[in-house]
Amino acid sequence: MSSHRRRRWISIGIASSVAFAGTVAFVPTASATSGVTASLPARSTSAPLVGEVSGSGQSVVWEQKTSSDTRPHGWLSVSGGTPQDLGAPADDSEGVSVRTVSVQHSVVAVATSTNPNGALADHVTLRHLDTDQQETLAVAYDGSGAPGDERYRAQAGDGILVQQAYTDADSAYRVRLVLRTAQGDRVLLSDDEQYEVLASDADGALVQRRTAPGWGHRIVYVDFATGATVTVAEPDTDELPQGLEFTPSHVGVVDGATLTEWQRSAPDAGPATVTLPTDKARWISDDTLAWYAWSADGNELYAMSRDGSTPAADLDGTFRDVSVGDDGRMRAALYRPDVDAAVQTLRDGRVSTADGDASALPAGPARLDALALSGGTLYTADDSSRRSGVLLSSGLTVGPSGASATAPSRVLAYRTGIVHQTLAAAGNRVLVEQGNAYEVYDKGTPTGVPLQLSDTSGDQVVDFDGGHFLLSDQTTARNGTLLLYTVATGASERVPAGSALYGGALYTSVKEATSGWSIRRTDPAAGTTTTVTTVDCRPGSLQVRGAWILLTTCGSASQGLLLKTGTTTRTTVDASVLAPVLGTGVLYTFTKDTATSVTLNAQVLGVSGATARALFVLPERADTAAAQRWAVDREAPWAAWQDDDGVTHAVWAGAPSVTSASVPAGFSPNGDGSSDTWAPVWAYNRPVTWTLTLSSGTTRVRTLSGTASGGTVAPVWNGKDDAGGTAAEGAYTWTLAVKDTATGVPAAGVTGAVALRRTAPAATVTAPALASDASSRAVIPVSWAAKTAGVTSYDVGWRVATRGSTGAWTLGPLKTWRSRTTTKSGSFGSSGSPVTPQPGLTYRFSVRAHDDAGQTGPWTAAVTSGIPVDDRSSALAFHGTWGKASVAAAWSGTERVSATKGASVSFTADGTKLRIVATRTSGGGRFAVVVDGVTVGTVNTYASTTGHRKVVFTYTLGTRVTTHKAQLKVLAGSAPGRSTVHLDAVMVTR
C-alpha cells in the first residue's frame, strides 16, 4: 500500500544517530604505506523519504541513490536481509507523485523505461516473491498526450493503475484510470483531467482526481472488486487534507482532532466519526496514530493507540517521515544508536526489535564536514544522512596484522546548521560548534558552560586540551590576542597570540629585555607562572607535547624550531610549505611535490635513527570554505584523510613499541638440560626486523638477527661467541635494535645485562655450637656467604629433632626460614623467627644460593646449634648443698653454686653429645662427670680471669640418640680458695 503523499504541508524530522557494529579490517591503499592503514567505508546516503518507501509484511522496497554519478536505484529487502538492487527505475518527475518502486501483498513492482535517458515508465515488471515468477505489463507512454498515451500511476497488487488519455463521445479530451493485469484492462474512473493515486493495495485505492466540468479537486476511494466509489474529501486546491487514513480495513480523513472514516468492506454504508486524542495526528494505522512534536533535538515522532487507551510515547530515534504499508504497519527511515540508516518497522507505536523488521540501507557517498583525531580515536562529523550533522567516533589500533578501526558509533547529533567545520578533540572530550555556540561534550554528554557568540563564521579553534580552548575570533585580527576559554566555569580572558595549551597549562612566549625570548608556562588554576626555556629567535605559534616544544616559525617564516625542555636539543624544522604540527612523540611536516600537491610526513621523536617518512598526499577541499579532509592526532601517532569516494583512511605514524617482554637475567649452558640457553622474548605491536648484540665490556661477543612477522622477537643464545667458541663465564651487556618491516621506522633501543654461569652456585653457613656461645638468651646467630661468583640471593632452612609420644627422637623436615634473601646473616629466635627456640633442642641450619644466571645450588651440609638447659630447669635434680645466684652474664641470668664436696646434680642425657656450661673463675672448683655409673672426666673450673657461659666439658655419648644417666659431683678443691663450682647449663645434642 502506498503511503500518503502531501504537497505544501511538510513535516521536517531530523535523523538522530548513525551507528555501526563490529570491526572494520584494515585496507591498504596506494596513498599510504601498506600494512599500517585502516579504512572505513563511506557512510550511508540520505534515508528515503516517505514517498520512496513501500512495505508489505516482511518485504520492504525503497529508492536510494548510492553513487554520486548515477540515478537512484530501487532496493528490496526481505526479512531484513541484504538489500537487492532492483536497478534504476523510470523517471517520476511529472506533476503528480508516482512511486516507481513498490511492494504489495509480496509482489514487487518496478516501473522502468527503455529510454536510456530515463523517461517516464513504458513498462512495469511485477515480481512475485513467493514464487519468484515475474511478468511485465506494458505502458503505452509516448509523451504526446494524444489519445492512447498512458501514464503509470501506481501498483495494485499483481496489477497496475494506468492513466489513459482518450476522446469522449463529444470529441472532448479526457483521461480515465485503468486497472491493468495480465488478464486485461478494466476502467475504474473516467471523464477526468488527471489522476494521482495517494494510496493503493490489491483491493482498492485512494485517488485524487481533477474532475470535469470545472476541474475541481476530489479525493475518492475506489473498490477494485465492485468498482464502487465514495468521495472522502473535496479540497478547494490540490493541497491534501491534514491527514488521510488508508489501512487494511478503513479509509478516512483527519480534520483537526476529528477522523471521518469509511469501512472499506462497505463504503456505501456511510462514514463514522472518531474523536482523536490529539489534533496533531498525521499518520494512522488500524490501531495506532502518530505525530511530530518539536524538541531541542529536532522533530521527534510520538505514537499512541488510536482509541487513546495507551499514552503517547516518544519513539526511539528521530524520524524524517513515516509511511503505512498495505499490512497496516508504519515504517520509517531512521537512525538509531544500534542501527545504521534503515527502513524500520514500527509495532504498537514503538520501534520493533523483531528479526526482519529493520532493513539496512546500502552505503553511498558521504560528505565530510569535519575530521579530528585524539588518543587513537577518529572523530568524523558529516551531514550526508541528516539535515544537520552527526558526530561519529571510531577506535584505532595497530598490531602485527596491520591497522584496524572499530566501526563508527554515534557520539552526538548536531542541533542546528548543516556545516560543522569546527571540531577539536582531547581525551574523551570533543569541542563542536552548535550554531553560534561552542560546546564541549564528555563521552557524548554536554559538560561545562557553552560559549555563546553572535557570529562564529570567521572563528577558528586554535588549541583544545579538554578543559580549555583557544579561539581566534574577530578580535584577534585587531589586537593580536587569542580568547582563552575555561569550559567548566565559562570564564574567558585574552592571552597573547601564538599561545598553546597542554596538560591544563597555558604556554606563551615573552620577549626579555635583551634579544632573547622566554617560553613560559602558566597554571590557570593556581595562577603561577614559570619559565620553561629560552630561545634567541622571535617565536611563532607554540605547540607543546610532553617535554617537546615546537615553534612553528623561529625568526624566519620558512623555518620552525623544535626543542626539548631540560636539554640543549635544538632542531630546525622546515615550515616553508605549511606550519609543522607537533604530536605526542611525532613531528608532522609537509613537503610540496608539485605546484599543488602537498605530502604529509611523520618523524618519530626521541628515537635514534628515525627520519621523516611520507604518509599521504593531502586531499583537496571541495571548496575553499569547506573543512579540511585530513587531520593528525596530537595524542597518539595517527593521521587520517578522506578520499574522493568518501572513504576515510587512518594511517599509523608511530614507531614499533613493546607490548610485553620476558627477559631472563641469565642462563647456564652446562648441558644439564636446565637453562642451557638464554631465550628472551619481546612482543612488539608491529612486524619488525631485529638485531641483538651481546658484549663483554667493549668487546662484541655475539650478534643475532632476524625478522618477526608476528611482532614477537625471540632470539636464542647458546653461550657461544660468533666464532663458535665457548664464551667465558661472567656478565654481558645486550642491545636490541628494532625496525618496522613496513616503514623502516626504528623503535626505541632496548638494553640490559645477562649473566652466563656454568658452575652451580654454592654457599657456606656458620652458627655457634651452642646458643650460649654467643649470648645469654635463646637466640642463635646464623651467617652465610657465597662460595662462587654471581650469587644474588639465598634460601635458609632449619630442622629440629623432637620427641614423639613413644619417647623416640625424630629429625623433622627442612623448613624455610629465609627465601631469596639478599642479607647474609640473621638471628634465629629474634623477631621474624618462625619459632621460639626451646631449651634442650638442637637446631640444624642449611643454606643454598641463587645466582644471576637463574641457577639454584644445592643445600649445604647442616650446622648445628643447641639451646642449653638452664640450671633452673626441672630436668636437673640437685643433691646436697647448692646455692642460687643471679648473674647477668650467665645463661638465662642465673647460676647454681656449690663448694661442698659430694654435692651433685643428676639428669637424663638422651643424645649423642654432652656439653657442660659453667663459669670459670679464680675461685673455681672441680667436679666429676659420671655417665651410666662411670666417671668419664674431671673438670677444673679455675681461671685467672672470670669467663661466663664456657663449655667446660664435652663428651660424645654415641652416634645414635640413646638414653644415658648423667651426674656431676663436686670434688675437693685443687687448692685453698679454689673449691666453688658455678654450674650454668647443660646441653645434650640430639
Side-chain angles (χ1 to χ4, degrees), residues 486-799:
T486 301
V487 175
T489 63
S492 63
E493 61 178 297
R494 287 286 163 182
V495 299
S499 298
L501 295 169
Y502 180 71
L506 176 72
Y507 290 78
T508 56
S509 57
V510 179
K511 191 177 189 310
E512 302 292 358
T514 61
S515 60
W517 294 76
S518 293
I519 309 300
R520 295 183 180 178
R521 179 186 186 276
T522 300
D523 186 333
T528 57
T529 299
T530 57
T531 296
V532 177
T533 188
T534 59
V535 292
D536 57 2
C537 63
R538 179 185 179 87
S541 297
L542 299 178
Q543 297 180 31
V544 183
R545 280 295 177 270
W548 297 93
I549 297 177
L550 174 68
L551 285 59
T552 55
T553 60
C554 187
S556 168
S558 63
Q559 178 177 289
L561 183 68
L562 179 68
L563 53 93
K564 189 174 184 180
T565 59
T567 71
T568 58
T569 301
R570 298 288 191 275
T571 306
T572 58
V573 180
D574 181 15
S576 60
V577 178
L578 291 173
V581 180
L582 177 63
T584 302
V586 181
L587 176 65
Y588 299 95
T589 57
F590 304 86
T591 53
K592 182 167 287 189
D593 307 314
T594 64
T596 59
S597 177
V598 176
T599 295
L600 174 67
N601 309 289
Q603 178 178 347
V604 175
L605 299 176
V607 176
S608 177
T611 57
R613 70 180 181 95
L615 296 183
F616 53 80
V617 176
L618 302 186
E620 296 180 358
R621 302 187 190 201
D623 55 67
T624 56
Q628 291 285 2
R629 294 165 52 208
W630 62 274
V632 298
D633 192 336
R634 300 190 63 200
E635 298 171 354
W638 291 94
W641 86 100
Q642 189 179 81
D643 62 25
D644 293 337
D645 294 326
V647 178
T648 302
H649 307 277
V651 187
W652 183 65
S657 61
V658 176
T659 58
S660 65
S662 175
V663 184
F667 70 122
S668 53
N670 52 20
D672 64 355
S674 176
S675 300
D676 283 333
T677 60
W678 183 55
V681 177
W682 294 271
Y684 281 84
N685 64 342
R686 297 287 302 123
V688 296
T689 58
W690 56 270
T691 299
L692 179 70
T693 304
L694 296 124
S695 301
S696 176
T698 59
T699 302
R700 180 175 296 182
V701 175
R702 187 69 187 272
T703 300
L704 302 169
S705 61
T707 298
S709 59
T712 300
V713 176
V716 177
W717 184 30
N718 59 4
K720 301 291 186 178
D721 58 23
D722 283 333
T726 299
E729 287 196 30
Y732 291 82
T733 58
W734 55 263
T735 300
L736 179 66
V738 168
K739 288 186 177 181
D740 190 308
T741 56
T743 66
V745 174
V750 185
T751 61
V754 57
L756 188 160
R757 306 289 176 190
R758 293 187 174 84
T759 303
T764 61
V765 59
T766 57
L770 299 182
S772 56
D773 292 342
S775 70
S776 61
R777 59 192 183 93
V779 174
I780 304 171
V782 185
S783 60
W784 50 89
K787 289 180 65 177
T788 56
V791 171
T792 57
S793 64
Y794 305 86
D795 297 334
V796 184
W798 62 281
R799 304 175 74 183

Side-chain angles (χ1 to χ4, degrees), residues 366 376 395 414 644 811 821 850 856 867 929 947:
Y414 291 100
D644 293 337
L811 185 62
T821 181
H850 304 281
T856 300
I867 305 298
V929 181

Side-chain angles (χ1 to χ4, degrees), residues 765 795-799 814 844-848 859-863:
V765 59
D795 297 334
V796 184
W798 62 281
R799 304 175 74 183
L814 185 66
R844 293 164 172 81
F845 300 96
S846 296
V847 175
R848 65 180 180 182
W859 290 99
T860 64
V863 296

